[in-house]
Amino acid sequence: QVHGIVRRSSSFNTGRIEHLYKNPQAHTEGNMKLHYGDLTDSTCLVKIINEVKPTEIYNLGAQSHVKISFDLAEYTADVDGVGTLRLLDAIKTCGLINSVKFYQASTSELFGKVQEIPQKETTPFYPRSPYGAAKLYAYWIVVNFREAYNLFAVNGILFNHESPRRGANFVTRKISRSVAKIHLGQLDCFSLGNLDAKRDWGHAKDYVEAMWLMLQTDEPEDFVIATGEVHSVREFVEKSFKHIGKTIVWEGKNENEVGRCKETGKIHVTVNHKYYRPTEVDFLQGDCTKARQKLNWKPRVTFDELVREMVDADVELMKNNPNA
């Protein structure tokens, strides 16, 4: 049985989990029960945890957009940093220290300005955003509760994980949605930020399996979860267009660079400086040797398969609902 916490909103904000409802049209719950709550409200967290008495808690809640964290720095700190402390304190308040296993969604953004390549569990942290800094507090408060109270608490340092359910304002989904719209004749051109940012991209379903595996071990430990492969935003764009039969040729430099379709001559991609971060993370590459050895985990979905799946899903989505 799964319980989830959902923020109150005047419009439904459960679009990515509606397929899990017993009746998606009526939002009727089955083995998944949702509770109204918020990581900024410690009282509601205590009430929910005391009522549910869970055996496993996965803290996947966050203001998770790195660029937006520069605009919402205080809110990001409150939710991503102190929110984690509130959850841990709620476990302690409810007397569940010895019966709960706690998973914290940590992030490769902790490494930021990378101190070694590839990054592993022992690599020094150097966050480059309010998001990364808030997650750094969360990482260490989890370690502290583990050592101070013997709570089974782990940090999953997950590198970028994507799927067709990725939020629309994240770069991978922005690319797959825009390419789908261009393919269907609904859009001509879209803008991106730093095309040369390189990331270690995996599939969310592989990474969720790794989260679960971390809580099935005998001793709590922190793990890096990654593919070990690095691809640029530029490459994600090229492969997405290639999947719909278009070849992108790059012209110009920096903010004046454009991506032109070789077959039609149309410009489909431009660069806009507003999508750049004040402090950029240029390169992330994970080393998941520890997870391979101790969890017997490895990624199954390749980068090419991920790109194709995301573009195909958005083509189907846009066919049925061009305004999605």
Side-chain angles (χ1 to χ4, degrees), residues 81 107 141 145 156 161 174 185 189 196-197 202 207 213 255 282 316:
T107 169
I141 203 66
F145 266 68
H161 39 291
K174 184 176 180 181
C189 185
D196 294 313
Y207 286 43
L213 284 169
E255 287 178 51
D282 298 313
E316 286 307 306

Side-chain angles (χ1 to χ4, degrees), residues 3 17 28 103 139 165-166 170 183 185 206 215 220 227-228 232 248 275-276 320:
H3 292 257
I17 56 170
T28 305
Y103 172 85
Y139 173 92
R165 292 197 176 92
R166 179 57 121 166
F170 287 82
H183 179 61
D206 285 341
L215 294 197
T227 69
S232 65
I248 291 295
Y275 297 122
Y276 278 72
N320 302 319

Side-chain angles (χ1 to χ4, degrees), residues 56-60 84 87-88 91 100-107 142 152-158 161 207-208 210-215 221 223 225:
E56 296 180 351
I57 294 178
Y58 295 84
N59 179 24
L60 313 181
T84 304
L87 265 179
L88 293 166
I91 292 170
V100 165
K101 291 186 171 184
F102 181 85
Y103 172 85
Q104 167 64 14
S106 214
T107 169
V142 166
F152 191 112
V154 303
N155 286 290
I157 306 173
L158 272 55
H161 39 291
Y207 286 43
V208 170
M211 295 178 195
W212 178 80
L213 284 169
M214 285 179 220
L215 294 197
E221 291 185 75
F223 288 92
I225 302 298

Side-chain angles (χ1 to χ4, degrees), residues 271-290:
V271 173
N272 190 324
H273 196 264
K274 78 174 184 178
Y275 297 122
Y276 278 72
R277 302 173 186 177
T279 39
E280 189 60 67
V281 173
D282 298 313
F283 185 97
L284 291 173
Q285 180 181 18
D287 177 357
C288 67
T289 302
K290 182 180 174 184

Side-chain angles (χ1 to χ4, degrees), residues 20 103 229:
L20 299 172
Y103 172 85
E229 280 186 30

Side-chain angles (χ1 to χ4, degrees), residues 7 15 17 30 38 70 82 86 88 91 105 110 153 161 181 192 195 203 205 207 216 235 248 268 272 299 302 316 322:
R7 278 167 295 157
I17 56 170
D38 200 289
F70 287 93
V82 184
R86 292 187 186 104
L88 293 166
I91 292 170
L110 294 177
H161 39 291
K181 286 191 169 195
L192 295 171
L195 294 169
H203 197 294
K205 64 183 178 184
Y207 286 43
Q216 311 316 309
E235 193 177 343
I248 291 295
H268 289 317
N272 190 324
T302 67
E316 286 307 306

Side-chain angles (χ1 to χ4, degrees), residues 59-311:
N59 179 24
L60 313 181
Q63 190 302 101
S64 59
H65 199 287
V66 179
K67 173 70 167 69
I68 291 169
S69 78
F70 287 93
D71 301 318
L72 297 177
E74 183 184 336
Y75 175 74
T76 302
D78 194 15
V79 174
D80 300 14
V82 184
T84 304
L85 173 63
R86 292 187 186 104
L87 265 179
L88 293 166
D89 257 338
I91 292 170
K92 189 160 162 275
T93 300
C94 295
L96 298 176
I97 284 282
N98 297 320
S99 58
V100 165
K101 291 186 171 184
F102 181 85
Y103 172 85
Q104 167 64 14
S106 214
T107 169
S108 57
E109 289 286 330
L110 294 177
F111 298 120
K113 192 173 182 180
V114 299
Q115 302 299 292
E116 67 175 346
I117 297 172
Q119 297 88 55
K120 53 184 182 286
E121 290 81 5
T122 54
T123 302
F125 298 134
Y126 194 143
R128 295 266 283 172
S129 64
Y131 169 77
K135 283 286 192 176
L136 185 62
Y137 174 83
Y139 173 92
W140 283 116
I141 203 66
V142 166
V143 172
N144 183 249
F145 266 68
R146 182 168 70 214
E147 295 177 352
Y149 306 112
N150 208 27
L151 172 67
F152 191 112
V154 303
N155 286 290
I157 306 173
L158 272 55
F159 281 64
N160 293 57
H161 39 291
E162 315 294 327
S163 86
R165 292 197 176 92
R166 179 57 121 166
N169 62 346
F170 287 82
V171 67
T172 50
R173 186 76 196 291
K174 184 176 180 181
I175 294 167
S176 64
R177 276 166 50 92
S178 300
V179 168
K181 286 191 169 195
I182 288 168
H183 179 61
L184 296 169
Q186 299 168 0
L187 185 73
D188 287 326
C189 185
F190 64 100
S191 298
L192 295 171
N194 182 7
L195 294 169
D196 294 313
K198 293 181 173 65
R199 293 291 183 271
D200 184 327
W201 273 304
H203 197 294
K205 64 183 178 184
D206 285 341
Y207 286 43
V208 170
E209 183 192 20
M211 295 178 195
W212 178 80
L213 284 169
M214 285 179 220
L215 294 197
Q216 311 316 309
T217 58
D218 294 329
E219 295 294 326
E221 291 185 75
D222 304 324
F223 288 92
V224 162
I225 302 298
T227 69
E229 280 186 30
V230 176
H231 302 274
S232 65
V233 173
R234 185 188 300 276
E235 193 177 343
F236 203 105
V237 170
E238 291 166 356
K239 285 189 181 291
S240 298
F241 274 107
K242 187 179 178 184
H243 187 52
I244 61 162
K246 289 179 179 284
T247 308
I248 291 295
V249 179
W250 301 101
E251 301 171 359
K253 283 188 176 181
N254 301 323
E255 287 178 51
N256 296 317
E257 189 169 11
V258 298
R260 190 185 296 277
C261 175
K262 185 179 177 184
E263 289 76 18
T264 64
K266 285 185 179 177
I267 292 175
H268 289 317
V269 186
T270 60
V271 173
N272 190 324
H273 196 264
K274 78 174 184 178
Y275 297 122
Y276 278 72
R277 302 173 186 177
T279 39
E280 189 60 67
V281 173
D282 298 313
F283 185 97
L284 291 173
Q285 180 181 18
D287 177 357
C288 67
T289 302
K290 182 180 174 184
R292 286 178 183 267
Q293 292 172 349
K294 294 200 171 186
L295 303 177
N296 197 26
W297 177 87
K298 63 179 180 182
R300 295 190 183 97
V301 182
T302 67
F303 178 72
D304 285 16
E305 288 167 343
L306 171 66
V307 173
R308 289 198 298 268
E309 182 187 338
M310 289 184 69
V311 173

